[in-house]
Amino acid sequence: MKVLITGSSGMIGTNLALRLMQDGHTVLGVDYRNNPWTDCIPFRTIDLRKDCIGRLVELIKGFEIDIVVHLAAHAKVYELVVEPSRALENVVITFKVVESARLAGVPIIFGSSREVYGDIHRHVTNEGCADFVVAESPYSASKISGEAFIYSFAQCYGLPYIVFRFSNVYGRYDNDLERMERVTPLFIRKIAQGDPIVIFGKEKVLDFTYIDDCIEGIYSGIRELTSGRVKNQTINLAYGEGNSLDQLVTFIAEALGVEPQVSYRASQPGEVTRYVADVTKARELLGYHPQTPLSEGIKKAVQWQKEAGYLA
Ligand SMILES: NC(=O)c1ccc[n+]([C@@H]2O[C@H](COP(=O)([O-])OP(=O)(O)OC[C@H]3O[C@@H](n4cnc5c(N)ncnc54)[C@H](O)[C@@H]3O)[C@@H](O)[C@H]2O)c1
């Protein structure tokens, strides 16, 4: 298979590209910056905010790409609260990628987010719960808009799609904290260094997804969508269990064998404070069986950082 991945220098893009290449598939990445972890992924430097549709269509056709996986975005919720124009850039980027897929005649997978559900405190959230009058942040608005473009292109032009709603993916190739702070690798680094950490939102309960589970889900989606067995579906991809940030810190401290210094502040504006995914649909449509609970995933994440030389 030949897969074009936008955002191939990012966390999920890097893991997906390496996994596909390991199985002998051809990957062509697109990103506007170099990959901070590996030179193995072939990619083109393209800023998707700019005039790029012609170039993308040419690449898709020239490389006989079978499917586009669109992951490029400004992906940090709070940064987009501070700078909302970047949410609009997300919309522009997604439009250009979706339009390119349409013009080139290939199906698309879109990396959306649990943020589209807003901060609604349910026990578990299934895909039918999305109520698009609720938008918790400019980032949520950008993902809702991206999904809406996908649905409208399926409706008007027959563009086949799968939308995946991810949730707190962690575990490997996620520690470029100078570019983007993510809670799990940030806490791992700080706790390992003996630095104090601040938990924004003691009450938060979130669904943490170990990277290999996420990648297996996307990989199944690629197989099912390209074969035509599954199409035009929106699917939660997470572990399906809630954990508090306190629990996350406890697992990290145990894995590192140190005592953490923790203080608490209120959640930041725009943040979802409770989300546990119902992953029944992923299980039924894609045979998705997430393998790694947070307690195990954190051990693997710490191990990866140690082996890669990121932790003393
Ligand atoms: N990681 C998660 O927990 C999570 C959760 C929910 C949704 N998502 C979504 O999944 C996707 C992938 O997430 P990630 O964690 O790998 O994010 P990431 O930030 O690591 O990767 C995104 C990549 O997009 C690239 N990019 C941004 N703007 C670009 C532009 N104008 N042109 C070309 N490339 C551009 C960035 O350089 C980056 O490499 C994102 O769309 C994100 O919103 C991720």
Side-chain angles (χ1 to χ4, degrees):
M1 227 165 359
K2 294 183 177 174
V3 184
L4 186 141
I5 302 175
T6 73
S8 57
S9 300
M11 179 214 186
I12 298 176
T14 299
N15 283 284
L16 179 64
L18 293 176
R19 176 77 175 83
L20 289 167
M21 287 162 63
Q22 188 190 321
D23 279 8
H25 299 296
T26 301
V27 168
L28 181 63
V30 168
D31 208 298
Y32 66 170
R33 62 189 185 101
N34 289 340
N35 193 302
W37 301 285
T38 173
D39 295 329
C40 295
I41 302 167
F43 84 107
R44 296 291 183 274
T45 307
I46 300 177
D47 186 339
L48 296 164
R49 294 169 297 188
K50 306 261 167 73
D51 184 11
C52 63
I53 293 175
R55 175 101 194 273
L56 281 179
V57 172
E58 208 177 277
L59 284 176
I60 295 169
K61 288 190 169 167
F63 281 86
E64 298 178 333
I65 295 293
D66 298 300
I67 184 166
V68 170
V69 181
H70 172 45
L71 301 171
H74 302 302
K76 178 82 184 153
V77 175
Y78 188 66
E79 278 175 16
L80 273 58
V81 173
V82 176
E83 237 185 299
S85 61
R86 301 178 85 205
L88 182 58
E89 290 180 358
N90 279 353
V91 179
V92 170
I93 290 169
T94 297
F95 173 77
K96 292 190 174 178
V97 177
V98 177
E99 174 66 341
S100 304
R102 171 180 88 90
L103 292 173
V106 292
I108 187 165
I109 286 179
F110 174 49
S112 187
S113 168
R114 59 119 196 272
E115 303 292 322
V116 301
Y117 295 114
D119 195 19
I120 305 291
H121 287 216
R122 300 181 187 89
H123 183 49
V124 290
T125 300
N126 66 42
E127 291 81 354
C129 292
D131 173 356
F132 287 171
V133 296
V134 179
E136 208 56 37
S137 69
Y139 174 82
S140 322
S142 77
K143 289 299 182 190
I144 289 170
S145 164
E147 289 197 13
F149 271 116
I150 301 260
Y151 304 146
S152 71
F153 273 48
Q155 193 69 24
C156 294
Y157 314 113
L159 179 69
Y161 73 84
I162 292 179
V163 168
F164 282 121
R165 294 180 179 151
F166 304 133
S167 173
N168 283 90
V169 188
Y170 70 96
R172 206 166 46 236
Y173 304 120
D174 59 353
N175 60 338
D176 54 342
L177 296 169
E178 293 64 31
R179 178 184 70 96
M180 187 161 103
E181 284 193 354
R182 303 173 202 258
V183 66
T184 306
L186 178 70
F187 282 3
I188 292 176
R189 183 185 290 183
K190 288 199 162 189
I191 294 170
Q193 288 171 348
D195 293 341
I197 55 162
V198 181
I199 290 182
F200 289 93
K202 190 174 169 51
E203 74 293 351
K204 262 188 210 146
V205 170
L206 298 173
D207 199 331
F208 292 88
T209 317
Y210 184 63
I211 184 66
D212 287 349
D213 287 331
C214 175
I215 296 302
E216 285 313 307
I218 302 173
Y219 199 165
S220 305
I222 291 173
R223 278 193 294 262
E224 298 305 295
L225 185 56
T226 50
S227 71
R229 284 189 293 266
V230 174
K231 71 169 185 173
N232 302 357
Q233 297 290 341
T234 297
I235 302 172
N236 290 338
L237 219 49
Y239 184 72
E241 189 180 276
N243 275 283
S244 68
L245 294 178
D246 263 335
Q247 193 59 65
L248 173 70
V249 169
T250 302
F251 290 143
I252 293 172
E254 278 170 9
L256 289 165
V258 296
E259 201 54 48
Q261 304 169 52
V262 187
S263 62
Y264 299 93
R265 289 198 205 140
S267 291
Q268 293 176 302
E271 290 182 336
V272 166
T273 59
R274 181 183 168 88
Y275 176 75
V276 182
D278 181 344
V279 293
T280 309
K281 195 169 172 187
R283 197 174 296 128
E284 288 174 358
L285 290 178
L286 304 176
Y288 174 68
H289 287 291
Q291 303 290 314
T292 313
L294 187 60
S295 53
E296 292 306 309
I298 288 300
K299 287 182 199 155
K300 292 183 184 200
V302 167
Q303 189 64 22
W304 174 73
Q305 291 221 27
K306 278 188 178 159
E307 282 171 10
Y310 296 115
L311 299 178

